[in-house]
């Protein structure tokens, strides 16, 4: 316990804190760009899952199953150490962005798919009976409602994505965890190093957790479609 | 206006429509009755291709209805009112009514709004224009749904059990709107159990059972001397 509370060690940490901040900067860049890729892929494959042309949901299925059922570490190692064998070299930062982007894209695709399926079939039929084509039905009727339903699980995915960027440390990706590991190793100050890393991730993730909870609360306040479907008078 | 020839529909192994032939004339008010599972909803849903026929042909306005032209045909010939109303919950009542005219028929927004208000006045809900559907009662929602079907000014309106999901005290307000509508030259096909309504507006009633049209006649025929045994049993259950 004396090691944990050693003032000398903590002073050393504060002295070297710029390293941790540099790591935080990398983590933030990877998380933000990774999230953009994940959202783009997730929406694309989520929509493809619900298309009637059989081959497209199939392609989406393969993507989702492949990336959900292999560990992120294995995927990232493959980009970093596997691809150079076939002549593809990706900078470490890009490996991180692509890694979490592709991985969480698969999860977001599932969130989007279930959000689309949660919109009652009758509304799609109503729109079709008015003469709207598939893309218009998606754009005007289904997706605007999907967005509301999927916001809480999407924020949750964003938080997991932030935490998963720590996989970068294993390929020397200059992120929070990488600097924590190297600083702790060099000085032998493991308590100080990893506690600080944990705190930095917490600072990034806690607001997202709170946002998820808030969005869930808000989603509950919207009267459910079920009431309408029963033909009962719906409460406001 | 609607001509159906040799229509068959299977759901897996279930044969729901068996060799249906039916001709609905322009401006005719046709009521379809029958026990649940008789195929009446499937039949009306084949008229705008919400269900794809397994075999046979459906002609609407002298054109064969196909998978390719179903969207175009829905845009230009028919509208539908559903049992569950199926209003778009994320849009106001007014937006529900103007979406198709503006986006599909390319009517200018202010003109579409004017038309929509006209129909909302007609169904007695002009004051609800800016409300969201979930704030309305079931009967009000269905009246909005009817107004929505009217704003695109189609030749045909299909009603699939429009009052079956309503609380009893709300049925009449919806029927009144439909009765008012029947005075116009619109072709109406209506799946319903409301025989009082049928008596008032129908030119012809067909009775379906087990995927077939078993009896056809005027509403009076069904009230006074139904011939088929199954028709009699069914009517004795729904007429009080």
């Amino acid at each position: 316990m004396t090691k944990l509370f050693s003032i000398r060690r903590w002073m050393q940490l504060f002295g070297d804190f710029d390293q941790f901040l540099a790591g935080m900067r990398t983590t933030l860049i990877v998380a933000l760009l990774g999230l953009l890729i994940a959202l783009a892929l997730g929406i694309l494959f989520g929509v493809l899952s619900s298309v009637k042309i059989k081959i497209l949901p199939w392609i989406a299925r393969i993507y989702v199953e492949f990336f959900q059922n292999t560990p992120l570490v294995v995927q990232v190692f493959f980009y970093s150490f596997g691809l150079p064998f076939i002549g593809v070299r990706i900078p470490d930062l890009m490996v991180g962005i692509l890694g979490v982007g592709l991985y969480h894209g698969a999860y977001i695709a599932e969130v989007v798919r279930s959000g689309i399926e949660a919109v009652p079939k009758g509304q799609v039929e109503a729109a079709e009976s008015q003469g709207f084509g598939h893309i218009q039905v998606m754009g005007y009727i289904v997706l605007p409602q999907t967005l509301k339903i999927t916001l809480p699980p999407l924020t949750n995915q964003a938080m997991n994505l932030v935490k998963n960027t720590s996989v970068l440390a294993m390929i020397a990706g200059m992120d929070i965890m990488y600097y924590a590991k190297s600083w702790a190793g060099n000085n032998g100050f493991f308590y100080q190093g990893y506690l600080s890393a944990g705190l930095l991730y917490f600072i990034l993730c806690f607001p997202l957790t709170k946002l998820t909870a808030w969005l869930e609360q808000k989603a509950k306040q919207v009267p459910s479609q079920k009431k309408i479907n029963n033909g009962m008078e719906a409460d406001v | 206006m609607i001509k159906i020839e040799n229509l068959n529909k299977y759901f897996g192994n279930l044969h729901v429509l068996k060799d249906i032939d039916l001709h609905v004339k322009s401006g005719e008010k046709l009521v379809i009755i029958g026990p649940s599972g008789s195929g009446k909803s499937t039949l009306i849903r084949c008229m705008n291709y919400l269900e794809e026929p397994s075999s046979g042909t459906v002609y609407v306005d002298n054109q064969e209805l196909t998978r390719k032209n179903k969207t175009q045909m829905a845009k230009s010939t028919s509208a539908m009112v559903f049992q569950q109303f199926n209003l778009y919950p994320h849009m106001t009542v007014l937006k529900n009514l103007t979406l198709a005219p503006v986006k599909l028929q390319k009517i200018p927004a202010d003109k579409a709004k004017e038309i929509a208000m006209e129909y909302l006045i007609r169904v007695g809900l002009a004051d609800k224009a800016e409300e969201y559907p979930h704030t309305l009662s079931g009967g009000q929602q269905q009246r909005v749904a009817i107004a929505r079907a009217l704003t695109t000014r189609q030749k045909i309106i299909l009603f699939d059990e429009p009052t079956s999901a309503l609380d009893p005290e709300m049925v009449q307000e919806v029927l009144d709107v439909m009765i008012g509508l029947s005075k116009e030259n619109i072709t109406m096909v209506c799946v319903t159990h409301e025989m009082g309504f049928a008596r008032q507006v129908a030119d012809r009633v067909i009775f379906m059972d087990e995927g077939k049209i078993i009896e056809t006649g005027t509403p009076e025929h069904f009230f006074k001397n139904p011939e088929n045994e199954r028709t009699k049993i069914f009517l004795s259950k729904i007429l009080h």
Side-chain angles (χ1 to χ4, degrees), chain A residues 51-59:
Chain A
V51 172
K52 280 178 198 151
I53 309 157
K54 277 278 153 18
I55 180 90
L56 296 176
W58 219 66
I59 294 170

Side-chain angles (χ1 to χ4, degrees), chain B residues 130-146:
Chain B
E130 297 302 329
E131 305 273 340
Y132 281 86
H134 65 80
T135 65
L136 308 185
S137 72
Q140 289 172 331
Q141 289 191 49
Q142 192 63 300
R143 280 148 64 197
V144 171
I146 294 173

Side-chain angles (χ1 to χ4, degrees), chain B residues 15 43 48 53 97 106 130:
Chain B
H15 197 175
L43 177 61
N48 63 353
L97 267 63
K106 308 293 177 199
E130 297 302 329

Side-chain angles (χ1 to χ4, degrees), chain B residues 76-130:
Chain B
S76 59
T77 55
S78 68
M80 193 171 215
V81 175
F82 298 83
Q83 184 177 356
Q84 303 291 352
F85 331 135
N86 296 342
L87 294 175
Y88 310 132
H90 57 304
M91 296 177 187
T92 62
V93 165
L94 189 62
K95 193 83 202 299
N96 264 276
L97 267 63
T98 56
L99 186 72
V102 171
K103 302 288 182 192
L104 293 177
Q105 301 179 323
K106 308 293 177 199
I107 293 172
D110 48 344
K111 176 77 179 148
K113 195 175 159 189
E114 212 174 280
I115 297 170
M117 286 311 295
E118 199 180 292
Y119 285 109
L120 277 180
I121 290 168
R122 208 161 133 182
V123 300
L125 291 170
D127 56 326
K128 303 288 185 190
E130 297 302 329

Side-chain angles (χ1 to χ4, degrees), chain A residues 52 120-134 136 140-142 144-145 148 222-225 228-236, chain B residues 45 48 50 70-71 74-75 78-80 82 84-91 96 99-100 103-104 134-138 141 148 152 165-167 170:
Chain A
K52 280 178 198 151
K121 186 101 195 342
Q123 287 175 38
V124 174
E125 290 184 345
E128 283 175 357
S129 79
Q130 288 198 294
F132 287 103
H134 189 77
Q136 291 171 313
Y140 295 135
I141 310 301
V142 179
Q145 296 184 69
K148 214 175 211 169
V222 178
S224 74
Q225 218 19 51
I228 297 168
N229 284 347
N230 288 337
M232 310 289 279
E233 226 175 303
D235 299 317
V236 184
Chain B
R45 287 162 61 86
N48 63 353
L50 280 183
K70 65 169 179 179
T71 304
K75 196 161 33 175
S78 68
M80 193 171 215
F82 298 83
Q84 303 291 352
F85 331 135
N86 296 342
L87 294 175
Y88 310 132
H90 57 304
M91 296 177 187
N96 264 276
L99 186 72
K103 302 288 182 192
L104 293 177
H134 65 80
T135 65
L136 308 185
S137 72
Q141 289 191 49
R148 180 175 69 179
T152 45
L166 295 176
D167 291 341
M170 294 174 187

Side-chain angles (χ1 to χ4, degrees), chain A residues 36-219:
Chain A
L36 282 182
I37 291 180
L39 278 173
L41 289 174
I43 292 169
L44 174 69
F45 284 101
V47 170
L48 287 186
S49 304
S50 68
V51 172
K52 280 178 198 151
I53 309 157
K54 277 278 153 18
I55 180 90
L56 296 176
W58 219 66
I59 294 170
R61 233 30 267 155
I62 292 174
Y63 166 67
V64 168
E65 296 300 340
F66 182 78
F67 282 94
Q68 279 195 345
N69 291 303
T70 51
L72 176 58
V73 183
V74 174
Q75 292 166 23
V76 167
F77 273 37
F78 177 77
Y79 307 139
S80 193
F81 306 121
L83 287 181
F85 276 107
I86 53 168
V88 183
R89 262 169 221 291
I90 308 174
D92 287 341
L93 193 72
M94 251 346 255
V95 167
I97 293 167
L98 276 181
V100 291
L102 284 163
Y103 181 77
H104 284 280
Y107 283 92
I108 290 176
E110 287 294 86
V111 168
V112 172
R113 181 180 63 83
S114 61
I116 289 172
E117 283 167 8
V119 175
K121 186 101 195 342
Q123 287 175 38
V124 174
E125 290 184 345
E128 283 175 357
S129 79
Q130 288 198 294
F132 287 103
H134 189 77
I135 293 169
Q136 291 171 313
V137 174
M138 274 286 158
Y140 295 135
I141 310 301
V142 179
L143 288 181
Q145 296 184 69
T146 303
L147 186 70
K148 214 175 211 169
I149 306 166
T150 54
L151 264 184
L154 282 182
T155 333
N156 189 42
Q157 278 300 317
M159 185 202 60
N160 277 320
L161 184 145
V162 171
K163 289 192 289 186
N164 279 340
T165 55
S166 61
V167 77
L168 264 181
M170 298 176 86
I171 56 157
M174 310 291 176
D175 64 320
I176 296 176
M177 193 57 196
Y178 168 78
Y179 281 111
K181 201 174 88 170
S182 79
W183 184 86
N186 289 342
N187 295 290
F189 301 164
F190 295 102
Y191 280 126
Q192 286 75 11
Y194 292 134
L195 276 174
S196 308
L199 183 70
L200 291 180
Y201 283 115
F202 185 86
I203 289 170
L204 292 178
C205 292
F206 188 67
L208 287 173
T209 314
K210 283 282 146 203
L211 182 61
T212 309
W214 182 73
L215 287 171
E216 263 168 8
Q217 201 54 42
K218 263 199 87 169

